[in-house]
Amino acid sequence: MFYTTDTNRHGLAHDPFKAIVAPRPIGWIGSKGRDGSLNLSPYSFFNAVSDRPKLVMFSSAGRKDSVRNVEETGVFTANLVSRHIVEKMNHSSIAVPYGINEFELAGLTAKPGELVDAPYVAEAFAVLECRVTEILQPKGLDGEASENIMVIGQVVGIHIDETIIRDGRLDMALARPVARMGIWIIARAATSSR
């Protein structure tokens, strides 16, 4: 099979592009608006992009509440989605009006960041506290801006639940991270490296 992306004639029930770039970790972004409202939203376009400095990015299809909040405040948290809280993550993805607290809707505990004025998920095994370095709309070959808005943040603080540390290392078999695989979200059943 071969198809060109300008025609997108692949003949499949779903566009395979997002399935090819997989697995993609879920960026569960915690933010706070200038008005003090809390927001928690999962993004499947999320990843680490640099180690020095430590940079992560998430990309939003359109200007959603998370983007609005980080534009206003310049900070956010990225919370690790693990199998034990995947249902709550799914519940936090529902579309609600601005100002509705997804932490409360999902039955999660919002804790204030240590270094940034943004909430994080207390039940998450790991959390990255981030300060925004760039917000941009990537461009295509034609020079036209994508409908997506990319937020890049520098990680300034990291929370780790010690229950997922074994033999001096983060054990992802214990953390059981969730990733996006095409159109399905799955819990990766990683096996221990021991």
Side-chain angles (χ1 to χ4, degrees):
M1 167 195 267
F2 173 80
Y3 70 96
T4 61
T5 56
D6 59 339
T7 64
N8 223 21
R9 292 187 188 139
H10 45 71
L12 301 174
H14 298 279
D15 186 345
F17 167 70
K18 291 190 268 185
I20 293 168
V21 183
R24 293 192 322 274
I26 306 298
W28 206 8
I29 305 302
S31 64
K32 181 178 175 182
R34 190 180 294 135
D35 65 357
S37 62
L38 304 185
N39 183 265
L40 180 65
S41 298
Y43 290 88
S44 66
F45 286 115
F46 168 81
N47 222 311
V49 294
S50 171
D51 185 38
R52 292 183 185 167
K54 292 179 178 7
L55 299 174
V56 294
M57 78 84 189
F58 72 93
S59 182
S60 173
R63 185 166 262 101
K64 296 181 180 165
D65 297 346
S66 299
V67 172
R68 173 182 170 174
N69 289 347
V70 300
E71 285 175 328
E72 290 179 359
T73 65
V75 295
F76 65 93
T77 64
N79 302 269
L80 178 68
V81 180
S82 297
R83 184 71 196 124
H84 77 290
I85 50 177
V86 71
E87 299 306 324
K88 292 179 184 252
M89 181 276 298
N90 282 333
H91 196 66
S92 74
S93 71
I94 63 173
V96 294
Y98 183 80
I100 301 295
N101 185 333
E102 290 88 353
F103 285 89
E104 289 178 358
L105 284 177
L108 294 161
T109 308
K111 287 192 74 174
E114 297 289 328
L115 301 175
V116 302
D117 189 16
Y120 69 91
V121 176
E123 293 83 357
F125 285 138
V127 177
L128 308 175
E129 293 192 17
C130 305
R131 293 193 183 279
V132 175
T133 61
E134 292 181 74
I135 299 175
L136 56 109
Q137 281 188 269
K139 295 181 176 75
L141 292 172
D142 59 5
E144 293 294 317
S146 161
E147 67 179 32
N148 279 49
I149 299 162
M150 180 186 296
V151 176
I152 300 173
Q154 183 167 335
V155 178
V156 295
I158 300 174
H159 300 260
I160 301 172
D161 185 320
E162 292 185 15
T163 62
I164 64 167
I165 297 174
R166 185 186 322 184
D167 299 329
R169 293 183 163 207
L170 211 61
D171 190 330
M172 295 313 273
L174 295 173
R176 298 180 68 204
V178 175
R180 181 78 188 237
M181 293 288 288
I183 61 169
W184 300 104
I185 293 177
I186 63 158
R188 290 193 291 176
T191 56
S192 176
S193 58
R194 298 208 300 165

